[in-house]
Amino acid sequence: MVAVRVFSERTALTHQLGEFIVRKQDEALLKNPYFKVSISGGSLINALYDCLVADKTLAPKVEWTKWQVYFSDERIVPLTHNDSNYGTFKKDVLDKLPSAVQVSVHHMDDSLPLDGDAQSNNKIAAEYEQILPESLDLVLLGCGPDGHTCSLFPGEKHQYLLRETTKRVAWCHDSPKPPSDRITFTLPVLKEAGALCFVAEGSSKQDIMHDIFDLKNEQLPTALINKLYGGKTSWFVNDEAFAKVQTQTF
Ligand SMILES: O=C1O[C@H](COP(=O)(O)O)[C@@H](O)[C@H](O)[C@H]1O
């Protein structure tokens, strides 16, 4: 069963999200010297800033120097490009931390050719897979208005990504949301992870929340993940996003 928490106040959502992340961090650090966590792009990054940097009670509890940060997906653009998930995380979170705080961040290698060629993109994905640990303690995820997460998109055209059972990182071409070329975790990475956590806010997510939680449409990567890994999956949503959801059983 998926754990769903619905909030009417944004500060309550981000605070509880932060409490959840810090709990996962502390649990991981009891067993290992590092907390291995992956970040997604999009609106999640702003929520992460609010809970891990701006929240004055939580910020001191974040042991940044013990974090090993990875990216659940990345757009194949230079890391300084506005579309880069790493670039956005750096600008909106890492650059806001005191300069003495050193965080281990494992991003895509943008010194490889970013020429859009299939061979180049395969190499970028394969190299990212090489630096991934066997399992992550926590995978932080967003949910697009079309039900995509990471760069796993719905629809027959992108089924090859969901069918991938060997490669842990694949490259996505012709993404319906620009930029077109991306690398993404595949389901095996989510399967091995300790916990999965989605954040979805705002009215643009209303219809897709209904499809995921009421219709349980497993053609959607997000609904499929709920079905496959529900026991370790949490959702933090606001009431605007959840306005059309009727079900109480997740
Ligand atoms: O393109 C992407 O979109 C999703 C969802 O973003 P959101 O802004 O609708 O929350 C994001 O999770 C993913 O990492 C990103 O590359």
Side-chain angles (χ1 to χ4, degrees):
M1 196 144 137
V2 179
V4 180
R5 303 193 58 184
V6 187
F7 298 88
S8 47
E9 293 290 329
R10 181 145 207 285
T11 46
L13 186 155
T14 55
H15 186 76
Q16 291 304 320
L17 173 66
E19 293 267 12
F20 175 86
I21 296 171
V22 167
R23 195 160 59 245
K24 293 293 168 197
Q25 164 202 272
D26 293 346
E27 286 168 9
L29 294 178
L30 282 178
K31 293 180 272 173
N32 293 300
Y34 295 107
F35 174 47
K36 294 166 283 175
V37 57
S38 73
I39 309 290
S40 292
S43 55
L44 173 77
I45 291 178
N46 185 255
L48 293 180
Y49 168 77
D50 285 342
C51 66
L52 303 175
V53 183
D55 186 316
K56 295 296 171 228
T57 58
L58 288 173
K61 298 182 181 171
V62 182
E63 300 201 48
W64 287 109
T65 55
K66 296 180 181 167
W67 283 40
Q68 295 280 335
V69 177
Y70 299 84
F71 291 85
S72 311
D73 71 323
E74 182 56 283
R75 293 86 176 268
I76 303 183
V77 293
L79 297 172
T80 49
H81 193 284
N82 277 344
D83 284 329
S84 163
N85 287 341
Y86 163 77
T88 308
F89 182 65
K90 178 178 181 306
K91 176 170 65 68
D92 293 350
V93 177
L94 297 174
D95 289 353
K96 303 286 195 300
L97 299 174
S99 54
V101 177
Q102 296 291 312
V103 191
S104 272
V105 183
H106 306 273
H107 54 64
M108 183 189 86
D109 181 359
D110 71 342
S111 71
L112 292 168
L114 308 178
D115 53 15
D117 184 75
Q119 230 182 343
S120 306
N121 290 348
N122 269 323
K123 190 167 162 58
I124 292 169
E127 294 220 348
Y128 199 66
E129 178 171 331
Q130 290 296 313
I131 62 171
L132 275 189
E134 254 173 49
S135 75
L136 292 154
D137 300 307
L138 175 63
V139 175
L140 290 163
L141 296 163
C143 170
D146 59 356
H148 85 271
T149 191
C150 303
S151 286
L152 303 170
F153 288 91
E156 189 47 42
K157 188 171 176 184
H158 292 94
Q159 278 295 306
Y160 67 98
L161 293 167
L162 292 172
R163 287 195 203 109
E164 183 61 62
T165 55
T166 313
K167 291 180 187 157
R168 300 170 72 220
V169 179
W171 81 277
C172 161
H173 50 84
D174 294 334
S175 157
K177 177 179 173 183
S180 150
D181 293 1
R182 293 143 171 261
I183 57 170
T184 180
F185 284 178
T186 57
L187 292 180
V189 179
L190 306 187
K191 184 178 176 188
E192 294 308 323
L196 311 177
C197 173
F198 287 94
V199 179
E201 297 177 87
S203 57
S204 69
K205 308 281 163 83
Q206 281 177 1
D207 290 335
I208 204 69
M209 291 295 120
H210 169 68
D211 290 349
I212 296 167
F213 289 99
D214 290 331
L215 306 183
K216 300 185 170 43
N217 175 1
E218 288 166 21
Q219 300 303 311
L220 301 170
T222 36
L224 181 66
I225 290 165
N226 277 354
K227 182 192 167 215
L228 294 174
Y229 316 124
K232 61 176 179 182
T233 299
S234 303
W235 284 77
F236 288 78
V237 301
N238 69 354
D239 50 9
E240 225 185 344
F242 237 50
K244 294 186 180 170
V245 175
Q246 303 285 320
T247 188
Q248 303 290 324
T249 53
F250 304 114

